[in-house]
Structure formats: structure tokens, C-alpha cells
Amino acid sequence: MSWHDGHVRVDIFYRDMSPRKKAWVDLLGTVFLLLPVMIFTIAASLGYVAKSWAIFEGSPDAGGIHGVFLLKTLIPLFAGLMIVQGLVEILRNALIISGRLDPSTKDHDAADEERL
């Protein structure tokens, strides 16, 4: 499995930017959009998930899922993992901005993919 920049963007300005400017846009988007929304998601869901765990909530339907509390736990877990990914992106973009990482460098080459 390979990582690629598959975000959907309105690419009017972004596509013509230099890699350093793209890194700035990505860094600011992560800091001011992704992280606050994920922090809000965790804060808003903790009470909801805690109540579900307190009663080991199951499905009200006959034959339904018994561990609904486990499914609800995925909400803050998802947000936490997105924060971790956001921190990685912040570091990556900071390295590009500082010139310590070449944005055109690929994490793997075609020979690595052939071996898989």
C-alpha cells in the first residue's frame, strides 16, 4: 500500500504554487482546520461514549449488535488517530518549509512495489 496526496481540493491556486507554498497551505489547514475539528469531535463525543460504556449499551433491536458501546468508542478513537496523522503532516510540512525534506522524494520506488 502506498501513500499519496489524494486530497480533493479546489485547485485554482494550489496547483501553481511552489512546493514550499503548498507546504504552508497544508500546514495551516492542518493546524487551523483539522486539529480543532478533531479536538471538538473528541470533546463532544466523550460524554456520549462514557454513558454508553456505563450501561454497556447494546442494540435495542432483537438480534442486534451487543457491543454498541464498542462501536461508539470508535468516534473519539478515529479523532485521536486523525490528530496523530495531523501531527505527522505538520512535521512533514515543517521539514519541507525548512528545506530539510525534498517534497518530490517518494517513500518508495517502483522496484520496491515490484517486490510486493
Side-chain angles (χ1 to χ4, degrees):
M1 176 188 244
S2 66
W3 178 86
H4 67 285
D5 192 15
H7 297 286
V8 176
R9 294 186 181 94
V10 176
D11 225 355
I12 298 168
F13 303 108
Y14 190 85
R15 71 173 159 221
D16 295 328
M17 289 182 178
S18 68
R20 191 163 183 248
K21 285 183 181 177
K22 287 180 181 181
W24 271 111
V25 169
D26 292 342
L27 181 111
L28 294 173
T30 300
V31 170
F32 293 111
L33 297 172
L34 177 75
L35 294 181
V37 169
M38 292 302 111
I39 290 167
F40 173 78
T41 300
I42 291 172
S45 68
L46 283 180
Y48 175 71
V49 174
K51 288 177 187 175
S52 185
W53 269 89
I55 61 171
F56 293 110
E57 182 179 6
S59 175
D61 299 325
I65 298 172
H66 298 292
V68 172
F69 63 99
L70 295 172
L71 293 175
K72 288 182 178 183
T73 302
L74 295 176
I75 299 168
L77 180 64
F78 148 77
L81 290 174
M82 287 296 294
I83 288 171
V84 171
Q85 181 62 39
L87 295 174
V88 170
E89 288 298 314
I90 288 169
L91 176 61
R92 180 179 171 278
N93 288 309
L95 289 173
I96 291 170
I97 291 166
S98 69
R100 289 189 263 170
L101 180 67
D102 180 12
S104 63
T105 304
K106 301 294 181 198
D107 293 331
H108 65 283
D109 59 16
D112 288 338
E113 215 161 281
E114 289 294 322
R115 284 183 265 154
L116 297 174

